[in-house]
Amino acid sequence: MTDLFADIIIDISHEKLDKVFQYRIPEKLRDLLEPGMCVTVPFGTGNRQIKGYVVRITEECSYDPAKLKSIIEIAPKGVSVEEKMISLAGWIKRNYGSTMIQALKTVLPAKQSVKKLEHRTICRVMSREDTVTVLGESIRKKQAAKERLLRTLLETETIPYEWVTGKLGVTPQTIQRLVTDGVIRVEQSTSFRDPVHLHRQEEKRLTSSPEQQRIVEEILQDFDKGMPGTYLIHGVTGSGKTHVYMEIIEQVIARGRQAILLIPEIALTYQTLLRFYLRFGNRVSVINSTLSPGERYDQCQRAKNGDIDIIIGPRSALFTPFPNLGVIIMDEEHESSYKSEGNPKYHARETAMEAARLHGAALVLGSATPSMEAYYRVKKGEIKLFQLHQRLTGGQLPTVSVVDLRQELREGNRSIFSRRLQELLADRLKKGEQSILFINRRGYAGFISCRSCGHVMKCPHCDVSLSEHKNGMLMCHYCGYMERKPGLCPECGSGYISGFKAGTQQIEEKLKEMFPGVRTLRMDADTTRNKDSYEKILSSFMAHEADVLIGTQMIVKGHDFPLVTLVGVLAADLSLSVSDYRAGERTFQLLTQAVGRAGRGTLPGEAVIQTYQPDHYAVTFAAAQDYEGFFEEELLYREMGGYPPVRHLMAVQVYAKSEEKGDQYVRTLASRAKEWLSGKDKRIDSDARAVILGPSPAVISKINDIFRFVFYVKCEKYDTLVFCKDYLEELIQTFSEQAVMVQFDFDPMNTM
Ligand code: ADP
Ligand code: ZN
Ligand code: ZN
């Protein structure tokens, strides 16, 4: 029998987690040891016994075998936070195919010396009465940003500087003017301990509705019985989900446990944050992508030390090391940003289930359009479903009309606005109400093609079409490549080369042609490149500084706009034509959310969906706001195609500088995988019926001159896919080819 060795991390708080020590695995532990386990080892010259974590098991000995010490034993199942985090890393490694080191780096914040961080805070120095007077002035002068800041200062007295310039969209100049006028003061402090001081006014605490009450009670009953479960709260925006979250969190904290609230960054609005701060004061902490690693580390320390009870943040907040976690809440659980794109490619929903299990915590998912995954588990009885039926803010669901664009064209309307939409837009402008125009995806808008020969202008480095920009340039949205728009088709020389006029810029131009004087705001990846611009555009629209907001999928999230009574979806199909099994689901979610933006206030709303496929079920069910109907239809499609969540899918992605090498490599891997799956390895579950799709070049076959190939393994049993990945990883280690990189993606979010 060959000797086995284990790479072990002794100090997980070490900055370089890669610093490992090798130990010999004794006979008795051979079959028991797994990466992620905690073991006792002799360390240092005195051989004192300390704990370490196994990150890799190997047959290769990197040192003189005679000098290696042996592992003493597997440490008894640990209970410390660290040990739970390491188990979680082990689970991520196993389920998503990364190295143990990568997984550890995902769950543990890098240790950083927290430098004396400078934090600026804005404090109101003027009295309440005087501030109200200044506020009155700024309302008269229509200084919207100043108004927002002053209103907030009446509520909270001190606010972190970054919130003011970020979430509130106030410029440093405005802040400076207010300082000069003696309204506020900017304070510098080096402590991060206390980012907000609020008057926790004993706010008019809302009484839960009977529906809300029942949800909170049932979840806590399970919790108190020591059987915390997984739950899904299905309810439209405004149906009171966040209120339920706060009630649950409060009760869990009362029991001496802590809470993690995951919210996609783009949906985490200032209003939501304020609600939590007002209720829980500075027991709440917020994580966002602008935190430095040092600040992130500091936050984790505060969580570990018991200085905070609640953390709010995107995906990575899941790994907050609370000593006694009681509940994980995941709002907007259907959001694709919950899936990590870097390695390991973990999904926060699945990982949260494992984290909840390790901590003995409850897991609460919330969504207006639940993911197929979550609802499928509801149907299988693994998740308990609660429904919230009404919008508490009032406002009826909008009336929806679906317009067939083919019909429009047949009847001679060549405009990007259907006649119905034109009529309604004119009506809203006349009445002084607001409208939102929504276009699905910018990658599709603005591509340039030849009307004579069909040639499409593409990026020479990436296999995607170039998009037209205003200044006559074409740009690649993957690598940033730019070139001048040609006057003649490079293929056939025809002068009839032009764009598919449906980008946000073109819509804005057409709208201004049609309605001179209309005030517009545009929100897309270009106008929101700056950190704060997203929030600024939204608050400006909120303050009625524009009549029409034109945007991509970003605008369907976040704020409520009480004055919006019309939503137009310009081309509902753009996301349907993507070659991806989730296209229907994504389209349904976007349309439902977009339509739901109309009529949030007291005024009734209307929505117009323009489409070339008026009979597609994603369109018809979204128009009817019928989630259940959509789910059943979509599930049939997934069952027939054998796609997740019915079966599982593993993408094996191969990246290579040389097209030929990449092609050969992916073929070899795919055929070896096929062989293995039909072979005798005892890990294969023969009932699992694994199928291989491909290999083929990826949909985007080249990015930045790197060629991309992919094949898929489809299988009923997730475990079989994991074993197949393990097998392929072992195989890859025996290949000498260096210039090729392989990645695994389980149940990928898109098959691009
Ligand atoms: P969601 O998270 O589903 O969008 P929220 O919890 O934010 O819903 O509630 C929407 C609005 O209804 C908020 O303005 C909130 O203050 C209000 N609201 C929530 N629950 C209640 C309640 N029980 N009574 C009165 N108003 C409520
Ligand atoms: Zn041509
Ligand atoms: Zn490119």
Coordinates of all heavy atoms in Angstrom, one line a residue, residues 368-402:
A368 N -40.5 37.5 -4.8 CA -41.8 37.7 -5.5 C -41.9 36.8 -6.7 O -43.0 36.4 -7.1 CB -41.9 39.2 -6.0
T369 N -40.8 36.3 -7.1 CA -40.8 35.3 -8.2 C -39.8 34.2 -7.9 O -38.6 34.3 -8.4 CB -40.3 36.0 -9.6 OG1 -39.1 36.8 -9.3 CG2 -41.4 37.0 -10.1
P370 N -40.1 33.3 -7.0 CA -39.2 32.3 -6.6 C -38.5 31.6 -7.7 O -39.0 31.4 -8.8 CB -40.0 31.3 -5.7 CG -41.2 32.1 -5.4 CD -41.5 33.1 -6.5
S371 N -37.2 31.2 -7.4 CA -36.5 30.4 -8.4 C -37.1 29.0 -8.6 O -37.8 28.6 -7.7 CB -35.0 30.2 -7.9 OG -35.1 29.4 -6.7
M372 N -36.9 28.5 -9.7 CA -37.4 27.1 -10.0 C -36.8 26.2 -8.9 O -37.5 25.3 -8.5 CB -36.9 26.6 -11.4 CG -37.6 27.3 -12.5 SD -39.4 27.2 -12.6 CE -39.6 25.4 -13.0
E373 N -35.6 26.4 -8.5 CA -35.0 25.5 -7.5 C -35.7 25.5 -6.2 O -36.0 24.5 -5.6 CB -33.5 25.9 -7.3 CG -32.5 25.5 -8.3 CD -32.5 26.3 -9.5 OE1 -33.3 27.3 -9.6 OE2 -31.8 25.9 -10.5
A374 N -36.0 26.7 -5.7 CA -36.7 26.8 -4.4 C -38.1 26.3 -4.5 O -38.5 25.5 -3.6 CB -36.7 28.3 -4.0
Y375 N -38.8 26.6 -5.6 CA -40.2 26.1 -5.6 C -40.3 24.6 -5.9 O -41.2 24.0 -5.4 CB -41.0 26.9 -6.7 CG -42.4 27.3 -6.3 CD1 -42.6 28.3 -5.4 CD2 -43.5 26.6 -6.9 CE1 -43.9 28.6 -5.0 CE2 -44.8 26.9 -6.5 CZ -45.0 27.9 -5.6 OH -46.2 28.2 -5.2
Y376 N -39.3 24.1 -6.6 CA -39.3 22.7 -6.8 C -39.1 22.0 -5.4 O -39.8 20.9 -5.2 CB -38.1 22.4 -7.7 CG -38.1 20.9 -8.2 CD1 -39.1 20.3 -8.9 CD2 -36.9 20.2 -7.9 CE1 -39.0 19.0 -9.3 CE2 -36.8 18.8 -8.3 CZ -37.8 18.3 -9.0 OH -37.7 17.0 -9.5
R377 N -38.3 22.5 -4.6 CA -38.1 21.9 -3.2 C -39.4 22.1 -2.4 O -39.7 21.3 -1.5 CB -37.0 22.6 -2.5 CG -35.6 22.2 -3.0 CD -34.5 22.9 -2.2 NE -33.2 22.8 -2.8 CZ -32.3 22.0 -2.4 NH1 -32.5 21.1 -1.4 NH2 -31.1 21.9 -3.0
V378 N -40.1 23.2 -2.6 CA -41.4 23.3 -1.9 C -42.3 22.1 -2.4 O -42.9 21.5 -1.5 CB -42.1 24.6 -2.3 CG1 -43.5 24.7 -1.9 CG2 -41.3 25.8 -1.7
K379 N -42.4 21.9 -3.7 CA -43.2 20.8 -4.2 C -42.8 19.5 -3.6 O -43.6 18.6 -3.5 CB -43.2 20.8 -5.7 CG -43.8 22.0 -6.3 CD -45.3 22.1 -6.2 CE -45.8 23.4 -6.7 NZ -47.2 23.6 -6.5
K380 N -41.5 19.3 -3.4 CA -41.0 18.0 -2.9 C -41.1 17.9 -1.4 O -40.7 16.9 -0.8 CB -39.6 17.8 -3.3 CG -39.4 17.5 -4.8 CD -38.2 16.7 -5.1 CE -36.9 17.5 -4.8 NZ -35.7 16.8 -5.1
G381 N -41.6 19.0 -0.8 CA -41.8 19.0 0.7 C -40.6 19.3 1.5 O -40.6 19.1 2.7
E382 N -39.5 19.8 0.8 CA -38.3 20.1 1.6 C -38.3 21.5 2.1 O -37.5 21.8 3.0 CB -37.1 19.9 0.7 CG -36.9 18.5 0.2 CD -35.9 18.4 -0.9 OE1 -35.1 19.3 -1.1 OE2 -35.8 17.3 -1.5
I383 N -39.1 22.3 1.6 CA -39.2 23.7 2.0 C -40.7 24.0 2.3 O -41.5 23.6 1.6 CB -38.7 24.7 0.9 CG1 -37.2 24.5 0.7 CG2 -39.0 26.1 1.3 CD1 -36.6 25.5 -0.3
K384 N -40.9 24.7 3.4 CA -42.2 25.1 3.8 C -42.6 26.4 3.2 O -41.8 27.4 3.3 CB -42.3 25.1 5.3 CG -43.7 25.3 5.8 CD -43.7 25.0 7.3 CE -45.1 24.9 7.9 NZ -45.0 24.5 9.3
L385 N -43.7 26.5 2.5 CA -44.1 27.7 1.8 C -45.1 28.5 2.5 O -46.1 28.0 3.1 CB -44.8 27.3 0.4 CG -45.4 28.4 -0.4 CD1 -44.3 29.3 -1.0 CD2 -46.2 27.8 -1.5
F386 N -44.9 29.8 2.5 CA -45.8 30.8 3.1 C -46.1 31.8 1.9 O -45.2 32.2 1.2 CB -45.2 31.6 4.2 CG -45.0 30.7 5.4 CD1 -43.6 30.5 5.8 CD2 -46.0 30.2 6.2 CE1 -43.4 29.7 6.9 CE2 -45.7 29.4 7.3 CZ -44.4 29.2 7.7
Q387 N -47.4 32.2 1.9 CA -47.7 33.2 0.9 C -48.2 34.5 1.5 O -48.9 34.5 2.5 CB -48.9 32.7 0.0 CG -48.7 31.3 -0.6 CD -48.4 31.4 -2.0 OE1 -48.0 32.4 -2.6 NE2 -48.5 30.2 -2.7
L388 N -47.7 35.6 1.0 CA -48.3 36.9 1.4 C -49.0 37.4 0.2 O -48.4 37.6 -0.9 CB -47.2 37.9 1.8 CG -46.5 37.6 3.2 CD1 -45.3 38.5 3.4 CD2 -47.6 37.8 4.3
H389 N -50.3 37.7 0.4 CA -51.1 37.9 -0.8 C -51.3 39.4 -1.2 O -51.5 39.7 -2.4 CB -52.5 37.3 -0.7 CG -52.4 35.8 -0.6 ND1 -52.4 35.1 0.5 CD2 -52.2 34.9 -1.6 CE1 -52.2 33.8 0.2 NE2 -52.1 33.7 -1.1
Q390 N -51.2 40.3 -0.3 CA -51.6 41.7 -0.6 C -50.4 42.6 -0.5 O -49.5 42.5 0.2 CB -52.6 42.2 0.4 CG -54.0 41.6 0.1 CD -54.8 41.5 1.3 OE1 -54.3 41.8 2.4 NE2 -56.1 41.2 1.2
R391 N -50.5 43.7 -1.4 CA -49.7 44.8 -1.2 C -50.2 45.6 0.0 O -51.3 46.0 0.0 CB -49.7 45.7 -2.5 CG -48.8 45.3 -3.5 CD -48.9 46.3 -4.6 NE -48.0 45.9 -5.7 CZ -48.0 46.6 -6.9 NH1 -48.8 47.6 -7.0 NH2 -47.1 46.3 -7.8
L392 N -49.3 45.8 0.9 CA -49.7 46.6 2.1 C -49.7 48.1 1.9 O -50.4 48.8 2.5 CB -48.8 46.3 3.3 CG -49.0 44.8 3.7 CD1 -47.8 44.4 4.6 CD2 -50.3 44.6 4.4
T393 N -48.9 48.5 0.9 CA -48.8 49.9 0.6 C -50.0 50.4 -0.3 O -50.0 51.5 -0.7 CB -47.5 50.2 -0.2 OG1 -47.2 49.0 -1.0 CG2 -46.4 50.4 0.8
G394 N -51.0 49.5 -0.5 CA -52.1 49.9 -1.3 C -51.6 49.8 -2.8 O -50.5 49.4 -3.1
G395 N -52.5 50.2 -3.7 CA -52.1 50.1 -5.1 C -52.5 48.7 -5.6 O -52.2 47.7 -5.0
Q396 N -53.2 48.8 -6.7 CA -53.7 47.5 -7.3 C -52.6 47.0 -8.3 O -51.7 47.8 -8.7 CB -54.9 47.8 -8.2 CG -56.1 48.4 -7.3 CD -56.5 47.4 -6.3 OE1 -56.8 46.2 -6.7 NE2 -56.6 47.8 -5.1
L397 N -52.7 45.7 -8.6 CA -51.8 45.2 -9.6 C -52.2 45.9 -10.9 O -53.4 46.1 -11.2 CB -51.9 43.7 -9.7 CG -51.3 43.0 -8.6 CD1 -51.5 41.5 -8.7 CD2 -49.8 43.2 -8.5
P398 N -51.3 46.2 -11.8 CA -51.6 47.0 -13.0 C -52.3 46.2 -14.0 O -52.3 44.9 -14.0 CB -50.2 47.4 -13.5 CG -49.3 46.4 -12.9 CD -49.8 46.0 -11.6
T399 N -53.0 46.9 -14.9 CA -53.7 46.3 -16.1 C -52.6 46.1 -17.1 O -51.9 47.0 -17.4 CB -54.7 47.2 -16.6 OG1 -55.4 47.9 -15.6 CG2 -55.7 46.5 -17.5
V400 N -52.5 44.9 -17.7 CA -51.4 44.7 -18.6 C -51.9 44.4 -20.0 O -52.9 43.7 -20.2 CB -50.6 43.4 -18.2 CG1 -49.4 43.2 -19.1 CG2 -50.2 43.5 -16.8
S401 N -51.4 45.1 -21.0 CA -51.7 44.7 -22.4 C -50.5 44.2 -23.1 O -49.4 44.7 -23.0 CB -52.3 45.8 -23.2 OG -51.9 47.1 -22.7
V402 N -50.6 43.1 -23.9 CA -49.5 42.6 -24.7 C -49.7 43.0 -26.1 O -50.8 42.8 -26.7 CB -49.5 41.0 -24.6 CG1 -48.4 40.4 -25.5 CG2 -49.3 40.6 -23.1

